[in-house]
Amino acid sequence: MAVLVVGSTAFDTVETPYGAREDCLGGSSTYFGLAAALFTEVRLVSVVGEDFPESSRKLLADRGMRLEGLEVQPGKTFRWSGKYSADMNSRETLDVQLNTFGDFRPVIPASFRETPYLFLANSSPVTQLSVLEQIQRPTFAVADTMDLWINTEREALDRLLSVVDGLILNDEEVKMLTGETNLIRAGRRIIELGPKLAIVKKGEHGAFLFSNHFQYALPAYPSDSVVDPTGAGDSFAGGFMGFLAECDSVSLWNMKRAVAYGTVTASLTVEGFGVESLVAANREAVERRFKDLMQFVSV
Amino acid sequence: MAVLVVGSTAFDTVETPYGAREDCLGGSSTYFGLAAALFTEVRLVSVVGEDFPESSRKLLADRGMRLEGLEVQPGKTFRWSGKYSADMNSRETLDVQLNTFGDFRPVIPASFRETPYLFLANSSPVTQLSVLEQIQRPTFAVADTMDLWINTEREALDRLLSVVDGLILNDEEVKMLTGETNLIRAGRRIIELGPKLAIVKKGEHGAFLFSNHFQYALPAYPSDSVVDPTGAGDSFAGGFMGFLAECDSVSLWNMKRAVAYGTVTASLTVEGFGVESLVAANREAVERRFKDLMQFVSV
């Protein structure tokens, strides 16, 4: 089955302890899409400016992404610039130019409206709800969110939570959203707010999965060469959703394996600057890492 | 088989977001001993002052600890006082009175000198080396250490690392000791320094195990009620060593299971103030949690 992603496309300028890069292709939908495309057909809905080069478009298409929903608007593509701390556990945003992404009102092409798997990358919950209204009953819809929307658009976010199947967020965000300081209680509370599934990303410490029926924890892939954490979360979501869409099953067994595949695609991303390692990977590399990861965590 | 622990006995005064307690029985050898005693015979070498009450002595003995090595010296028992942050991920030491522990020169009773499993709780590496010299070729000796010794007694610590079988330390300490910011590289580097085994404790994020032959990661037990993290690390070590001593096997398979048992005993400790939850537990409770934990992490 195919997976539809609605999110940003950007050019990122990053500095980490391992080096710096200017204007790397990035954005939530790019990282998600390239990770998910390792598993299945990805349908992209995003916006870029007139400066978006043919080479970037070709890169996405060559990896198996369908681009009918990639709008080109007058002006420039979204740009972000940031610098990571020495341990890479925090980052400072140096510059944000929303450009064409600032007025993004996603329109889902008719050919995409029956896509069964849907990922609403981080954006205003109002925008995320507008996408859901355009989609014909997806099998499995998952949303990402962030502190900004928790603090400023709580009402719309609560409405979103009542209609999506799953929510992906990080450990700080889940505590903020639920007011719980204990991560286990916080994860369970999300389920009371609506979603059947909550995934809490903990970066180098792995991920938790919560549902009514079970809890699951998986450590991060034991990477000894993290050079740029940008896009790790969206790459995780891409591996997770891509694998579920490929299997077309959201069984308990598949959910857990999907967390592992998300962990693998995130690990590929952080081992290179921007999308370079993710683009260089293939399904075989994913399977090798999946096996390594299973060995790393098996008792 | 029996396990010997050499470390501190203390009275702790703690404040956490869930309450405060004065003069709780604590110290590294107490937490370690009570956790290990859930599995096997524990032999204690420590020091207390004349103020150490019969009730505390009885509590340790009733849990199956042999106390021939518990010295009573003129003066008072070690006292520590601290306050935890709101998220309990950091703590401030408010007061330390080393008292009798300040001059502790451990003497191993003759009846303890052939104990096959040995845990050297956190103290100066010079003191830890003096203990090793008194023990008849232990089957498996593991040491804990801390930032203070890494910074001030590096030479003695390096000598210690060349003679112990295993080292247990936390994520900050392993980075400090090796100069590596990547935890996977840091863990591997410990093995190059001597020990066959390195265990890196990550608190709420679980633990890593490193050896020449394999790496293993286990998330923490999904506790929804952490009230006092004091003693978690030593309780982890107690469950880990207690289980290995009980099986009298340090095979790969047992090592991994021992990490899980350490995770379980640490989770018991943090769910009550001081040692109250650990003391209230029995082997059956440990097995129940072990099964829960296996379910929590199994794909």
Side-chain angles (χ1 to χ4, degrees):
Chain A
M1 293 287 165
V3 59
L4 172 65
V5 55
V6 183
S8 65
T9 302
F11 287 109
D12 297 336
T13 295
V14 295
E15 190 182 332
T16 86
Y18 294 88
R21 293 290 187 282
E22 266 180 48
D23 291 333
C24 311
L25 177 63
S28 59
S29 73
T30 303
Y31 282 105
F32 178 95
L34 290 172
L38 286 161
F39 301 88
T40 195
E41 181 188 305
V42 176
R43 299 170 178 180
L44 175 66
V45 173
S46 189
V47 64
V48 293
E50 293 154 328
D51 58 347
F52 195 70
E54 187 51 36
S55 58
S56 295
R57 179 179 282 275
K58 187 170 179 312
L59 185 151
L60 300 177
D62 284 352
R63 300 297 296 178
M65 289 169 67
R66 282 181 56 185
L67 307 183
E68 299 101 294
L70 182 60
E71 273 179 53
V72 181
Q73 292 287 348
K76 288 179 123 186
T77 302
F78 180 20
R79 271 169 174 75
W80 175 83
S81 162
K83 184 180 171 174
Y84 286 85
S85 62
D87 65 1
M88 292 196 281
N89 282 328
S90 64
R91 73 181 186 194
E92 188 190 349
T93 291
L94 300 176
D95 191 35
V96 177
Q97 295 170 27
L98 287 177
N99 299 326
T100 48
F101 189 66
D103 296 315
F104 182 42
R105 300 284 170 275
V107 176
I108 312 301
S111 56
F112 286 2
R113 285 194 195 135
E114 292 183 22
T115 314
Y117 291 82
L118 169 65
F119 182 65
L120 301 162
N122 176 33
S123 69
S124 138
V126 174
T127 303
Q128 291 173 313
L129 282 163
S130 82
V131 171
L132 269 175
E133 282 161 14
Q134 299 176 59
I135 308 278
Q136 212 109 26
R137 288 188 304 280
T139 303
F140 197 65
V142 172
D144 189 5
T145 194
M146 72 185 288
D147 49 1
L148 176 66
W149 315 120
I150 296 170
N151 289 325
T152 64
E153 300 234 31
R154 184 55 194 259
E155 205 192 320
L157 184 57
D158 281 340
R159 261 187 295 137
L160 179 74
L161 292 181
S162 72
V163 291
V164 291
D165 300 290
L167 183 69
I168 294 194
L169 70 186
N170 73 31
D171 44 359
E172 292 300 316
E173 291 158 356
V174 73
K175 289 176 181 175
M176 187 184 288
L177 180 57
T178 61
E180 292 281 0
T181 54
N182 178 288
L183 204 56
I184 303 297
R185 282 206 303 272
R188 286 190 200 136
R189 182 67 65 90
I190 296 288
I191 304 305
E192 294 166 17
L193 297 174
K196 292 191 282 289
L197 192 86
I199 293 182
V200 179
K201 298 171 292 181
K202 307 196 299 167
E204 63 165 326
H205 300 301
F208 281 166
L209 190 154
F210 296 90
S211 85
N212 255 327
H213 311 297
F214 68 99
Q215 297 168 32
Y216 175 57
L218 187 71
Y221 184 87
S223 181
D224 61 4
S225 166
V226 176
V227 306
D228 175 13
T230 311
D234 291 304
S235 304
F236 176 94
F240 178 78
M241 293 293 285
F243 176 75
L244 291 178
E246 182 192 41
C247 302
D248 192 21
S249 157
V250 292
S251 68
L252 158 58
W253 158 252
N254 261 345
M255 287 286 179
K256 290 181 169 189
R257 289 207 297 160
V259 169
Y261 279 105
T263 298
V264 163
T265 46
S267 78
L268 288 167
T269 291
V270 302
E271 291 187 8
F273 277 94
V275 299
E276 64 186 29
S277 290
L278 193 55
V279 166
N282 56 21
R283 183 57 189 265
E284 221 183 325
V286 167
E287 289 304 325
R288 266 199 308 275
R289 280 191 179 223
F290 180 82
K291 276 194 197 121
D292 285 350
L293 179 61
M294 290 300 102
Q295 201 158 37
F296 183 49
V297 301
S298 74
V299 181
Chain B
M1 292 288 164
V3 60
L4 171 65
V5 56
V6 183
S8 66
T9 302
F11 287 110
D12 296 336
T13 295
V14 294
E15 190 184 331
T16 85
Y18 294 88
R21 292 292 187 281
E22 267 180 46
D23 291 333
C24 310
L25 178 61
S28 58
S29 73
T30 304
Y31 282 106
F32 178 95
L34 290 171
L38 286 161
F39 300 89
T40 196
E41 181 188 305
V42 176
R43 300 171 178 179
L44 175 66
V45 172
S46 189
V47 65
V48 294
E50 293 154 328
D51 59 346
F52 195 70
E54 186 52 35
S55 59
S56 294
R57 181 179 282 274
K58 187 172 179 314
L59 186 150
L60 300 177
D62 284 352
R63 301 298 296 177
M65 288 168 68
R66 282 180 58 185
L67 307 183
E68 298 103 291
L70 182 59
E71 272 179 55
V72 182
Q73 291 287 349
K76 290 178 121 186
T77 302
F78 179 20
R79 270 167 174 78
W80 174 83
S81 164
K83 185 180 171 175
Y84 286 85
S85 62
D87 65 3
M88 292 195 282
N89 282 329
S90 64
R91 74 181 185 192
E92 187 190 350
T93 291
L94 300 175
D95 190 35
V96 178
Q97 295 170 26
L98 287 177
N99 300 325
T100 49
F101 188 66
D103 296 316
F104 183 42
R105 300 286 170 274
V107 176
I108 312 302
S111 55
F112 286 3
R113 286 197 193 133
E114 292 182 23
T115 314
Y117 291 82
L118 169 64
F119 182 65
L120 301 162
N122 175 34
S123 70
S124 136
V126 174
T127 304
Q128 292 172 312
L129 282 164
S130 82
V131 171
L132 270 175
E133 282 161 15
Q134 299 176 59
I135 308 278
Q136 211 108 27
R137 288 189 302 278
T139 304
F140 196 65
V142 172
D144 189 4
T145 195
M146 72 184 289
D147 49 1
L148 177 64
W149 316 121
I150 296 169
N151 290 325
T152 64
E153 301 233 28
R154 185 56 196 260
E155 206 192 319
L157 184 56
D158 281 340
R159 260 187 296 137
L160 180 74
L161 292 181
S162 72
V163 289
V164 292
D165 300 290
L167 183 69
I168 295 193
L169 68 186
N170 72 31
D171 43 358
E172 292 301 316
E173 291 158 355
V174 72
K175 288 176 182 174
M176 187 184 291
L177 180 55
T178 61
E180 291 281 359
T181 54
N182 178 289
L183 205 55
I184 303 297
R185 281 205 303 270
R188 285 190 201 137
R189 182 66 65 91
I190 296 287
I191 303 304
E192 294 166 17
L193 297 175
K196 292 189 281 287
L197 192 85
I199 294 183
V200 179
K201 298 172 292 183
K202 306 197 298 164
E204 63 165 324
H205 299 301
F208 281 165
L209 191 155
F210 296 89
S211 85
N212 254 329
H213 311 295
F214 69 100
Q215 296 169 33
Y216 175 57
L218 187 72
Y221 184 86
S223 181
D224 61 5
S225 166
V226 176
V227 306
D228 175 12
T230 311
D234 290 305
S235 305
F236 175 94
F240 176 78
M241 292 293 286
F243 176 75
L244 290 179
E246 182 192 42
C247 303
D248 191 23
S249 156
V250 292
S251 69
L252 158 60
W253 158 252
N254 261 345
M255 288 286 179
K256 290 180 169 190
R257 290 206 298 161
V259 170
Y261 279 104
T263 298
V264 163
T265 47
S267 78
L268 288 166
T269 291
V270 302
E271 291 187 10
F273 277 95
V275 298
E276 65 186 27
S277 291
L278 193 55
V279 166
N282 55 21
R283 183 57 190 264
E284 222 183 324
V286 167
E287 288 304 325
R288 267 199 308 276
R289 281 192 179 222
F290 179 82
K291 276 194 195 118
D292 285 351
L293 179 60
M294 289 300 100
Q295 202 157 38
F296 182 49
V297 302
S298 74
V299 182

